[in-house]
Amino acid sequence: MKTSSVGIVTPQRARFDEPLALACGRVLTAYELVYETYGTLNSTRSNAVLVCHALSGHHHAAGYHSAEDRKPGWWDECIGPGKPIDTNHFFVVSLNNLGGCHGSTGPTSINPETGAPWGPDFPSLRVRDWVHSQARLADRLGIDCWAAVVGGSLGGMQAMRWALLYPQRLRHCVVIASAMRLSAQNIAFNEIARQAIQADPGFADGHYLARNTVPAKGLALARMVGHITYLSDDAMADKFGRDLRSGSLELGGEEPAEFQVQSYLRYQGSQFSGSFDANTYILMTQALDFFDLAREYGDDPVAAFREAHCAFLVLSFSTDWRFSPSRSREIVDALIAADRPVTYAEIEANEGHDAFLMPIPRYLALFGAYMQRVRGAC
Amino acid sequence: MRLDLTHIQRWIAPGSKVLDLGCGNGEFLQRLALERQVRGLGLEIDPDKITSAVARGLNIVEQDMDAGLSNFPDQSFDTVVMAHALQAVHYPDRVLEDMLRIGRQGIVTFPNFAHWRCRLYLGSRGRMPVSRFMPYNWYDTPNIHFCTVKDFEALCEERGIRILARDMVGNTQRRPLLASAWPNLFAVTAIYLISR
């Protein structure tokens, strides 16, 4: 089958004036969501797939914004004609979550009550708030029931929450490289990231927009820490090893040596700090930390999954140590015990957590085979 | 469809819940789903077979039986099937116990190592049999626990496992008269329906 791109796509914007009650107790009186769609909604509106993004993701999941665009959307490997989420058959909706910094209402938006950017006063969000806002977007698009809700990492958490909060509104739930809640180690890494941002003088307690400063160093450092956890030891060894970018390790010289991995991390950090909002990063990492799928079900994931009516595909990657295969197994075991249809595979991959974005042949073949089954019922 | 699988089908109630241990490419589960409307789950470890089985629309979990089946609750399936895998697991006795913990009944099929051809091969050549059904050399084979009809029944006796029915498959598609009369000598494949 010929594999290609969805081509040039244009983001759309939906405004919601109905107030949204948030998990934190506050109410967002109005908000906007930016989203993209790929493929065509069929006449019975049964072929819609919702793509939920991860920590630093956004609505631009596939295709290009212009002919000059060098890089496609973040999940272009998996979305497009002939790809696992085949846009010849599915109507794909990908949005920027509430609290994001790519166009949807978030800390950089203007707070209507003050006329100034929300900044650190933007309400704290939970994964369920995203799910509720996504359900409103589904209403707006006339989608009663998703063929599938799909997500990797933090996106997988949204997909699982969908299955519990709106069991009648999805037929399949695809959870890739995710977990039912973070471990202490996961939270610890997120805390380092937040501390790095908050310790930057440019952060100004989150009021950097009003002060016209940028916590660029802190944000870059946060990204560097995060980035290490997305890669495996093997992947870093393959990519950089101990290669030097400059200088030498020869004795008798004082010229400082710089490893390739150092410059790579710095580049990743500075790219990110130029394109991402620090308050959004704090908000998103907190939503990640606070997520606990089974908390209100007596801490029993089996009881939680009994709420679900959909079938599940769970995928993990062998070298992912951020959300390791054993975390996915916990999901699978709970689904088995809850007597819910589940398919699970652990994909052999060198790339660590980031593998879910990579064109790994077995991953694409299996994901595609499952999505064909999803298609069969559309 | 392999002969042993055709035999098994009649022991599986329509609409029941079936766990297939070592489901391969899912051919059997798919047939059960189509003809018996079962709710099936397959366990498999081979990546390509998993993809083929998923492409058939089946629920498949990648899991190694040798690492245990403790994630499956007691009596959570009507039938647990293990076709031609008993001889390939590390602890066949533990798997059998687990099958009957998880399922109300179990169905096991295995190649009978006491078949006369095996005996003749071993007896006359003094070497481990290699045949169409068992095409592996002893040093490179998934089959690490060969047993015979008598061995299996002795184990069932010892563990208090009830044999509800047994079926023997001979060399041909015809009614296996010899295999039924003298299974340990003439059965190529033995098929058992067991329970607690």
Side-chain angles (χ1 to χ4, degrees), chain A residues 47-322:
Chain A
N47 68 333
V49 171
L50 175 66
V51 171
C52 303
H53 70 71
L55 182 59
S56 58
H58 44 67
H59 54 284
H60 185 40
Y64 299 84
H65 279 161
S66 70
E68 293 76 44
D69 225 355
R70 280 187 307 119
K71 278 169 82 177
W74 58 269
W75 218 14
D76 200 70
E77 299 291 356
C78 289
I79 304 168
K83 293 178 181 175
I85 304 176
D86 191 337
T87 50
N88 288 328
H89 302 279
F90 290 115
F91 174 67
V92 183
V93 178
S94 171
L95 78 159
N96 182 212
N97 278 337
L98 212 53
C101 54
H102 292 87
S104 292
T105 300
T108 56
S109 311
I110 301 296
N111 177 355
E113 284 174 27
T114 64
W118 283 95
D121 302 325
F122 193 80
S124 147
L125 296 176
R126 299 287 184 97
V127 166
R128 70 188 59 222
D129 296 320
W130 290 331
V131 170
H132 289 309
S133 65
Q134 290 159 359
R136 295 246 181 110
L137 180 61
D139 295 341
R140 181 71 56 89
L141 296 171
I143 296 158
D144 290 335
C145 183
W146 299 102
V149 176
V150 179
S153 196
L154 177 58
M157 294 173 173
Q158 293 160 57
M160 285 189 282
R161 189 56 85 195
W162 257 98
L164 305 192
L165 290 181
Y166 294 100
Q168 312 291 349
R169 299 196 69 175
L170 68 163
R171 290 195 299 277
H172 292 269
C173 178
V174 179
V175 183
I176 306 171
S178 191
M180 293 189 285
R181 57 183 182 185
L182 292 198
S183 67
Q185 189 193 47
N186 293 147
I187 296 169
F189 277 114
N190 283 344
E191 180 59 13
I192 294 172
R194 285 188 294 263
Q195 288 291 330
I197 293 168
Q198 287 161 349
D200 187 324
F203 183 64
D205 288 329
H207 297 283
Y208 46 88
L209 288 178
R211 307 267 171 87
N212 238 336
T213 58
V214 189
K217 280 230 156 86
L219 200 50
L221 192 52
R223 180 59 170 181
M224 286 163 75
V225 171
H227 202 85
I228 296 168
T229 70
Y230 305 148
L231 302 176
S232 69
D233 192 17
D234 286 349
M236 288 183 106
D238 285 354
K239 206 165 180 174
F240 312 107
R242 292 177 49 83
D243 294 351
L244 294 182
R245 182 178 160 79
S246 63
S248 148
L249 294 171
E250 289 296 316
L251 300 182
E254 275 201 282
E255 189 198 354
E258 188 193 24
F259 290 98
Q260 285 289 0
V261 68
Q262 291 175 274
S263 99
Y264 171 80
L265 275 182
R266 278 205 296 270
Y267 175 75
Q268 290 294 329
S270 74
Q271 284 288 102
F272 188 74
S273 65
S275 64
F276 210 85
D277 177 64
N279 284 318
T280 288
Y281 200 79
I282 290 172
L283 180 152
M284 296 264 177
T285 55
Q286 277 172 342
L288 194 53
D289 288 0
F290 297 159
F291 181 75
D292 187 345
L293 187 83
R295 192 181 45 80
E296 75 247 49
Y297 302 89
D299 280 324
D300 179 3
V302 181
F305 279 128
R306 285 205 186 101
E307 301 289 320
H309 293 329
C310 60
F312 289 78
L313 170 65
V314 181
L315 295 174
S316 68
F317 299 92
S318 57
T319 57
D320 182 353
W321 57 280
R322 190 175 170 103

Side-chain angles (χ1 to χ4, degrees), chain A residues 311-313 329 332-333 336-339 341-347 362 365-366 369-370 372-373, chain B residues 17 39 41 45-48 50-51 54-55 57-64 71-73 76-77:
Chain A
F312 289 78
L313 170 65
R329 290 288 333 199
V332 174
D333 291 349
I336 288 172
D339 196 15
V342 55
T343 286
Y344 170 70
E346 178 186 325
I347 310 292
R362 185 191 172 199
L366 187 59
Y370 190 87
Q372 259 188 42
R373 162 184 169 181
Chain B
K17 215 180 141 191
R39 286 199 297 139
L41 176 64
I45 50 172
D46 182 282
D48 293 334
I50 291 171
T51 302
V54 169
L58 300 167
N59 296 310
I60 307 296
V61 167
E62 181 170 339
Q63 182 172 337
D64 186 353
N71 54 324
F72 286 89
S76 53
F77 282 82

Side-chain angles (χ1 to χ4, degrees), chain A residues 10-22:
Chain A
T10 310
Q12 301 169 69
R13 183 173 291 273
R15 185 177 166 79
F16 298 84
D17 288 313
E18 189 191 344
L20 183 69
L22 302 170

Side-chain angles (χ1 to χ4, degrees), chain B residues 2-163:
Chain B
R2 240 171 38 210
L3 211 51
D4 56 326
L5 300 179
T6 324
H7 280 241
I8 293 172
Q9 244 193 121
R10 61 198 161 92
W11 290 335
I12 293 171
S16 62
K17 215 180 141 191
V18 176
L19 176 63
D20 188 351
L21 303 176
C23 67
N25 64 14
E27 186 187 8
F28 179 58
L29 264 184
Q30 187 185 34
R31 183 148 144 187
L32 285 180
L34 290 175
E35 295 177 10
R36 284 272 200 273
Q37 291 76 46
V38 304
R39 286 199 297 139
L41 176 64
L43 252 56
E44 183 51 58
I45 50 172
D46 182 282
D48 293 334
K49 287 177 182 165
I50 291 171
T51 302
S52 310
V54 169
R56 292 173 190 263
L58 300 167
N59 296 310
I60 307 296
V61 167
E62 181 170 339
Q63 182 172 337
D64 186 353
M65 281 185 274
D66 282 331
L69 294 165
S70 59
N71 54 324
F72 286 89
D74 295 357
Q75 301 294 292
S76 53
F77 282 82
D78 295 304
T79 305
V80 182
V81 178
M82 185 168 58
H84 271 268
L86 186 71
Q87 75 282 358
V89 296
H90 275 118
Y91 304 101
D93 57 334
R94 289 187 204 168
V95 174
L96 282 175
E97 303 268 5
D98 256 341
M99 284 177 76
L100 296 179
R101 177 184 63 75
I102 297 163
R104 277 171 270 285
Q105 62 173 21
I107 298 174
V108 184
T109 82
F110 58 87
N112 171 34
F113 202 70
H115 184 258
W116 68 269
R117 279 183 197 273
C118 283
R119 296 187 194 203
L120 186 65
Y121 196 110
L122 187 60
S124 62
R125 302 192 205 184
R127 298 195 56 183
M128 285 299 279
V130 176
S131 69
R132 189 162 62 83
F133 289 104
M134 299 178 239
Y136 302 100
N137 280 305
W138 64 272
Y139 51 84
D140 181 23
T141 172
N143 303 321
I144 54 176
H145 278 123
F146 273 126
C147 70
T148 71
V149 166
K150 275 189 176 173
D151 286 331
F152 182 79
E153 293 190 1
L155 177 65
C156 289
E157 171 88 40
E158 186 193 310
R159 299 296 171 95
I161 293 170
R162 287 197 298 149
I163 295 172

